[in-house]
Amino acid sequence: MESVQAIKQRFEIIGNDPKLNRAVEKAIQVAPTDISVLVTGESGVGKENIPKIIHALSHRKHGKYIAVNCGAIPEGTIDSELFGHEKGSFTGATGAREGYFEVANGGTIFLDEVGELPLTTQVRLLRVLENGEFIKVGSSQVQKTNVRIVAATNVNMFDAIEKGKFREDLFYRLSTVDIMLPPLRDRKEDIHLLFRKFAADFAHKYKMPAIKLEEEAIQFLLKYKWSGNIRQLRNVAEQISVLETKREISSQTLLSYLPVENQNLPSVISTKKSESDFSNEREILYKVLFDMKSDLNDLKKLTMELMQNGSSKVQETNKGLIQKIYGNSEENTIFEEKPRVEMIPTQSNLIAEEFEDEDNYLFAETVDEEETLSLEAKEIELIIKSLERNKGKRKAAADELGISERTLYRKIKQYDL
């Protein structure tokens, strides 16, 4: 068995990070078997190297090795790409076609971005993993294949399973062995080493002297987040090698080639801010509710006085209260000089209309139970008298009470009249 260092040199894997070495070591250990392997890690960490190592060190090394980017194949054609199709099985299928699982029989298939597979394709893939069988699109004949599957993904598979985007049984069949590659920001000692390797490669490729970072630029290089990982580092090294005339690269020059990345604030700060916002909104809501309760109690008091003393006296003694509740405009004035008997149903109607919407009943609880019962009794009495006076005609009774026919109908049902 080859050593980790020998394998890294053979496949041009740069770095001495312990997590990277462990990933390579696991690849070497599982290569002689036919165990399914799932390679996980962020985009750009170099996941494609692991299946190459596994295939090269396995007994399938003389068979075909096919890498498939599952996220790059349209959903409507991915079944045909993986499993093949028969002539005429769909529009444009002018002839039969062999799929990757048929072509790679005896070899290895690398399914990159396996988390992007449609659910229907996942079912087909699970069957291949369980018994090596598949069916071409448009065919009814079961075919056998003997392939080793190595998959890779940069998505959180447990989240995908929870959201119903990936089958749990397929996940556990694919991840018999899980190999995780660390992000570049966790391999700080390897960052400058990788940059120097890329700089040397591009110097040879473009026939120019290799660029070199100043000490301050090196420190900046190590502190940068590198969300695109090795792929982003390689891209930056190539840009600088081609575009800069000076071979000594300062931190300012390096900075000009790096996008400004949002540095996430500590979670404790974010939490405090959200709690503060919530507290402010809660205080405003409480104030609104208390104000509405106060207005409701004032309205209750005004109504009771109206029922006891008549409209003229109430308007004179409660002028300020009336303006507070109904405003100063003439069109909002609800009291008119009418006989006392006719004012009572109008004010009962006022209470009924005030609470006509379901949401407004939330505030009805603030009315004292004893007084509420008294108002209900008066309202029932008025409704009954109006219905008797109008010989049971609801529309006429509603007009007399000053409420809508719908409201009257609801109250008849409510009081079981």
Side-chain angles (χ1 to χ4, degrees):
M1 183 182 294
E2 296 186 55
S3 66
V4 173
Q5 288 300 125
I7 291 297
K8 288 198 297 184
Q9 186 175 3
R10 177 178 170 184
F11 289 90
E12 297 184 347
I13 298 175
I14 308 298
N16 295 306
D17 181 79
K19 292 181 181 178
L20 175 66
N21 290 340
R22 178 55 182 158
V24 175
E25 183 181 356
K26 288 173 74 173
I28 295 172
Q29 290 175 328
V30 301
T33 70
D34 278 334
I35 294 176
S36 298
V37 177
L38 179 65
V39 186
T40 59
E42 296 179 6
S43 178
V45 295
K47 295 186 293 293
E48 65 279 357
N49 289 318
I50 299 299
K52 291 178 181 177
I53 294 172
I54 293 173
H55 177 72
L57 301 181
S58 71
H59 61 86
R60 300 173 180 271
K61 61 184 178 181
H62 298 299
K64 288 195 174 183
Y65 171 82
I66 297 178
V68 182
N69 188 332
C70 300
I73 304 175
E75 183 175 345
T77 60
I78 192 165
D79 284 353
S80 172
E81 293 288 326
L82 294 177
F83 308 105
H85 64 257
E86 296 291 350
K87 180 180 179 180
S89 56
F90 54 86
T91 304
T94 56
R97 180 185 181 279
E98 293 182 346
Y100 296 137
F101 280 97
E102 187 174 359
V103 173
N105 188 25
T108 304
I109 287 184
F110 170 44
L111 299 177
D112 196 8
E113 297 185 32
V114 71
E116 304 296 329
L117 281 176
L119 288 171
T120 53
T121 307
Q122 292 177 31
V123 176
R124 289 172 172 262
L125 180 58
L126 181 62
R127 185 175 183 181
V128 174
L129 285 165
E130 288 179 341
N131 49 34
E133 295 179 350
F134 69 94
I135 301 177
K136 286 185 175 183
V137 177
S139 174
S140 58
Q141 181 180 356
V142 177
Q143 294 185 235
K144 284 280 190 178
T145 185
N146 178 21
V147 296
R148 187 342 166 23
I149 296 177
V150 180
T153 182
N154 59 6
V155 302
N156 188 317
M157 297 300 283
F158 292 105
D159 286 346
I161 291 171
E162 186 176 347
K163 294 175 182 177
K165 295 182 178 179
F166 202 85
R167 293 178 61 96
E168 187 174 10
D169 49 2
L170 177 59
F171 168 71
Y172 287 114
R173 288 306 301 265
L174 287 172
S175 61
T176 306
V177 173
D178 188 358
I179 298 178
M180 194 278 292
L181 287 175
L184 187 58
R185 60 181 171 276
D186 292 344
R187 299 170 50 192
K188 293 191 180 297
E189 294 182 358
D190 295 341
I191 294 176
H192 188 215
L193 192 63
L194 282 163
F195 187 89
R196 288 166 53 192
K197 171 65 167 60
F198 293 145
D201 289 346
F202 293 128
H204 177 74
K205 179 179 179 179
Y206 299 117
K207 296 179 175 56
M208 58 177 63
I211 57 174
K212 184 178 180 181
L213 297 178
E214 295 179 357
E215 185 59 33
E216 188 178 352
I218 293 174
Q219 296 304 316
F220 189 87
L221 191 79
L222 302 181
K223 293 178 182 179
Y224 191 68
K225 189 176 179 180
W226 297 112
S227 58
N229 294 291
I230 298 174
R231 186 181 294 123
Q232 183 184 10
L233 180 66
R234 185 179 186 276
N235 180 273
V236 169
E238 184 171 19
Q239 287 185 63
I240 297 175
S241 297
V242 173
L243 299 177
E244 291 298 319
T245 54
K246 292 183 179 180
R247 299 290 90 181
E248 291 283 337
I249 306 302
S250 66
S251 59
Q252 291 298 321
T253 302
L254 177 62
L255 180 62
S256 66
Y257 286 90
L258 298 175
V260 178
E261 296 185 336
N262 294 327
Q263 300 296 330
N264 294 329
L265 294 175
S267 58
V268 64
I269 296 177
S270 175
T271 303
K272 285 183 178 180
K273 184 178 185 302
S274 62
E275 288 178 355
S276 175
D277 291 343
F278 177 75
S279 177
N280 292 337
E281 292 178 2
R282 183 172 55 191
E283 289 177 4
I284 293 172
L285 180 59
Y286 284 163
K287 185 178 185 304
V288 171
L289 290 175
F290 285 139
D291 289 343
M292 294 184 74
K293 178 181 177 181
S294 176
D295 291 343
L296 188 61
N297 289 332
D298 290 341
L299 180 61
K300 176 193 69 177
K301 177 182 176 183
L302 186 62
T303 303
M304 294 302 297
E305 290 186 11
L306 175 67
M307 296 174 66
Q308 294 172 4
N309 303 320
S311 63
S312 298
K313 185 176 179 180
V314 171
Q315 289 189 75
E316 185 65 28
T317 58
N318 296 278
K319 186 174 181 180
L321 184 59
I322 294 171
Q323 289 180 349
K324 175 185 174 184
I325 298 175
Y326 297 102
N328 298 320
S329 63
E330 295 181 359
E331 63 184 17
N332 286 333
T333 302
I334 62 168
F335 300 104
E336 296 179 3
E337 198 63 41
K338 293 183 180 179
R340 180 181 176 185
V341 176
E342 294 186 7
M343 286 301 298
I344 294 174
T346 306
Q347 298 312 311
S348 299
N349 170 48
L350 176 62
I351 298 297
E353 290 294 330
E354 186 69 22
F355 296 103
E356 183 171 337
D357 294 330
E358 290 184 4
D359 291 342
N360 289 333
Y361 274 98
L362 294 172
F363 306 106
E365 297 177 1
T366 60
V367 182
D368 295 337
E369 182 178 357
E370 182 178 348
E371 295 178 359
T372 302
L373 291 174
S374 175
L375 288 173
E376 287 181 357
K378 292 286 185 182
E379 195 170 40
I380 291 172
E381 181 182 353
L382 291 169
I383 291 174
I384 291 174
K385 287 183 178 180
S386 181
L387 287 171
E388 289 177 351
R389 189 180 298 118
N390 291 281
K391 299 179 180 180
K393 295 180 180 179
R394 289 200 301 266
K395 188 175 188 310
D399 291 339
E400 183 181 31
L401 292 171
I403 61 176
S404 65
E405 187 177 358
R406 180 176 64 85
T407 301
L408 177 60
Y409 178 73
R410 177 172 58 79
K411 289 190 174 294
I412 290 172
K413 290 187 64 178
Q414 177 183 346
Y415 299 133
D416 196 21
L417 301 178

